[in-house]
Amino acid sequence: LPIASVERPKAWKKLHQDFNEAVAKVQQCAGTDQSQFSLTCVHIHPKWVEATDNFQICRWRLATAIESPTLVRQSSLKNIKQLGMGEFAETKAWLHFRNSQGLVVSCRRYMEVEDFPDLGLFLKVAGEPITLPKALAGAAEKAQVFSDENVQDNHILVDLQPGKVRVKGQGITGWYKEKKKIKYQGKPLRFYVSPTILADIVRSHSDCFITPAMLKVDAGAYKYATCLFAPEDKGQGQGQQQEE
């Protein structure tokens, strides 16, 4: 590897105490379509970090202390939390992170932030309140056993119908479905979501807002939204199903 070509930082800044958690959350919404490069990145702004794949978005507001907005590949940032990074530094082409053991991770930064969509408009959407049952957290974790097999697209399907909600995770080797009761009487709708995001939402922030096109969660520190679409049954493969 051309380590010698990596710029060496001269000054380090302390990372915001929520930065690692924020990146761990929003990076799950980054895309994998290489033809839309900016969507495969996390957008680090002086006032927030955010990501989108054009179907779901997540923004966590915090003072990042970064001098200018930048894009960093999701694949470069996804392990920042596990590594316990506590400091960062900026150079012309790199964003550097360092933990208390002196481990430094340098991520290539991209300045073409004008290619990243403005997510603010979508995050201001209001709608009808809906409460997702907390039992969906356990269902999401079970479904994740199979969805984890989709390295490039680890999402589970949530199917909303009058009086019930179904979660389905599907992978290479099979699928898992679980159905729960819900106080919902609207038209049938579906959305895809990261299983870990869904589990966090229903455990801590089960109150959501729903519009004809979008489901939105305002969790205080961060906001999450995902597109809704009409259901089409496409069940296949072998797996397990649990209903209540």
Side-chain angles (χ1 to χ4, degrees):
L1 295 175
I3 301 298
S5 66
V6 177
E7 303 152 1
R8 300 306 174 103
K10 297 180 180 180
W12 292 89
K13 300 178 184 178
K14 186 176 180 180
L15 275 175
H16 190 286
Q17 61 182 5
D18 294 332
F19 183 85
N20 291 342
E21 182 66 30
V23 168
K25 186 78 65 182
V26 306
Q27 61 89 18
Q28 298 177 66
C29 294
T32 58
D33 184 354
Q34 299 302 316
S35 67
Q36 301 183 76
F37 175 78
S38 65
L39 302 189
T40 67
C41 298
V42 172
H43 179 211
I44 304 178
H45 186 276
K47 296 181 179 180
W48 59 71
V49 293
E50 61 185 358
T52 182
D53 59 3
N54 259 348
F55 295 98
Q56 58 178 344
I57 59 179
C58 188
R59 173 186 285 181
W60 190 306
R61 296 191 67 90
L62 75 167
T64 63
I66 194 169
E67 293 182 3
S68 58
T70 188
L71 299 176
V72 179
R73 292 292 294 267
Q74 176 268 352
S75 55
S76 300
L77 283 173
K78 64 181 182 180
N79 293 316
I80 292 297
K81 180 181 178 181
Q82 292 90 322
L83 294 172
M85 296 303 178
E87 297 177 302
F88 82 101
E90 299 176 69
T91 55
K92 183 178 180 180
W94 299 85
L95 197 59
H96 312 266
F97 298 93
R98 184 170 68 179
N99 66 13
S100 58
Q101 286 75 46
L103 174 66
V104 175
V105 173
S106 299
C107 305
R108 176 74 73 175
R109 64 186 302 181
Y110 302 90
M111 306 305 293
E112 299 86 350
V113 292
E114 66 276 3
D115 295 334
F116 195 86
D118 182 359
L119 305 181
L121 179 63
F122 302 100
L123 294 172
K124 294 178 181 178
V125 172
E128 296 296 322
I130 179 175
T131 300
L132 299 176
K134 293 187 179 298
L136 281 185
E141 290 169 346
K142 294 171 187 174
Q144 186 176 1
V145 172
F146 290 102
S147 69
D148 273 347
E149 297 173 355
N150 306 315
V151 179
Q152 297 297 320
D153 188 23
N154 186 2
H155 297 99
I156 58 177
L157 176 65
V158 180
D159 189 350
L160 280 171
Q161 298 182 23
K164 59 186 178 182
V165 57
R166 184 180 67 181
V167 170
K168 180 179 180 180
Q170 185 163 337
I172 299 173
T173 61
W175 51 263
Y176 177 84
K177 290 193 289 189
E178 187 167 340
K179 189 183 296 182
K180 299 293 182 182
K181 295 179 180 179
I182 186 174
K183 294 180 180 179
Y184 174 72
Q185 296 302 321
K187 65 179 182 179
L189 292 170
R190 284 182 168 183
F191 62 90
Y192 285 98
V193 62
S194 159
T196 55
I197 286 182
L198 178 61
D200 178 70
I201 286 173
V202 298
R203 284 189 174 123
S204 307
H205 318 283
S206 57
D207 292 332
C208 309
F209 296 92
I210 192 169
T211 73
M214 183 177 295
L215 179 139
K216 175 187 170 184
V217 178
D218 188 341
Y222 72 90
K223 292 181 174 62
Y224 172 84
T226 184
C227 294
L228 300 172
F229 58 95
E232 293 180 7
D233 291 328
K234 295 182 179 179
Q236 60 181 5
Q238 59 179 343
Q240 299 176 330
Q241 182 168 343
Q242 179 175 324
E243 298 187 7
E244 289 187 357

